[in-house]
Structures are given as structure tokens and as C-alpha cells.
């Protein structure tokens, strides 16, 4: 039997990217001044055989702590100032995965949901 544990963290973030299409049409930005409402979701996959004596694979408090650290970093600075790459949701979700894969055992995927625009990006590394 396989399990997937899913955790989420909500925060606001300013991406800072301009839309070339909206700029060409002289349309205003869709990004609110206070930033987008973001939900960061991570999935952890494990087998029944990996359940411990307490009936769980991993302590969710440690996972929540890791998500808190990433969300604080992402909400603290405009993404265009935080990253050396163009901070699209695709590239930032990959960056988050790379940050978390060493601290979250058997990390399966990272999702970024832009609740403001109703867009979701899911990154899952090929193994």
C-alpha cells in the first residue's frame, strides 16, 4: 500500500515580473500591490512498510517547519530581487523542490498555487 502525505502553507508574495503581453497592450498589471496569495503544497510518498511504531512515516511538525522557512523567504523579498533567474512559478517551484529535497524524506512534488489568479504549477522531479 502506498501513501501520499500532503502539507500546505499559505503566504503572500510579490513576484515582480512584468507581463510583456499586458505591457504591449498597455494594460495594468494583474499583481496586487500587496502581492499574490500563494499556497505552497508539498507531497511526500511512502510505503506501508515504512510506517513506524507510532503509525506514521515522518513527523509533520518537522515538515511544517521546513515549509515555514521557505515561505518566510519567499514572502520577505520581491522575487525579482531574491533570485538570479527569472522567477516564474515554474522555476520557483523547482527551486523550492531543490531546497526541500535534502530535509524532507521522499519528497514527491511541490505545488505553487496562485490563489489570486487561480493558477497552479506542480513540479515533480524525474527519478
Amino acid at each position: 500500500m502506498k501513501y501520499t502525505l500532503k502539507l500546505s502553507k499559505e503566504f503572500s508574495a510579490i513576484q515582480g515580473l512584468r507581463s510583456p503581453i499586458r505591457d504591449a497592450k498597455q494594460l495594468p498589471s494583474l499583481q496586487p500591490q500587496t502581492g499574490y496569495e500563494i499556497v505552497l503544497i508539498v507531497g511526500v510518498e511512502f510505503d506501508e512498510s515504512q510506517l513506524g511504531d507510532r503509525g506514521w512515516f515522518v513527523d509533520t511538525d518537522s515538515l511544517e517547519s521546513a515549509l515555514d522557512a521557505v515561505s518566510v523567504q519567499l514572502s520577505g523579498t520581491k522575487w525579482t530581487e531574491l533570485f538570479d533567474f527569472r522567477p516564474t512559478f515554474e522555476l520557483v517551484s523547482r527551486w523550492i523542490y531543490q531546497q526541500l529535497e535534502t530535509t524532507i524524506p521522499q519528497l514527491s512534488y511541490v505545488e505553487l498555487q496562485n490563489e489570486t489568479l487561480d493558477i497552479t504549477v506542480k513540479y515533480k522531479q524525474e527519478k
Side-chain angles (χ1 to χ4, degrees), residues 25-42:
K25 294 180 179 180
Q26 298 181 335
L27 296 172
S29 173
L30 293 176
Q31 182 169 270
Q33 292 293 326
T34 57
Y36 293 123
E37 294 303 313
I38 307 293
V39 180
L40 167 60
I41 300 170
V42 298

Side-chain angles (χ1 to χ4, degrees), residues 32-119:
Q33 292 293 326
T34 57
Y36 293 123
E37 294 303 313
I38 307 293
V39 180
L40 167 60
I41 300 170
V42 298
V44 177
E45 292 184 353
F46 52 94
D47 294 320
E48 175 114 17
S49 64
Q50 294 178 286
L51 295 176
D53 294 339
R54 294 183 175 179
W56 45 266
F57 169 67
V58 65
D59 183 356
T60 56
D61 287 343
S62 64
L63 300 181
E64 289 177 17
S65 179
L67 265 61
D68 285 344
V70 168
S71 63
V72 165
Q73 191 173 6
L74 292 173
S75 64
T77 304
K78 187 186 295 187
W79 290 3
T80 51
E81 296 170 6
L82 182 62
F83 297 109
D84 291 334
F85 56 85
R86 190 169 190 272
T88 62
F89 275 74
E90 292 83 353
L91 296 178
V92 172
S93 63
R94 180 180 66 191
W95 177 87
I96 295 168
Y97 186 98
Q98 292 168 344
Q99 300 302 303
L100 296 176
E101 70 180 327
T102 59
T103 58
I104 296 180
Q106 295 175 222
L107 179 65
S108 175
Y109 65 87
V110 167
E111 277 186 17
L112 279 179
Q113 292 180 350
N114 182 330
E115 296 286 301
T116 307
L117 299 178
D118 196 25
I119 297 170

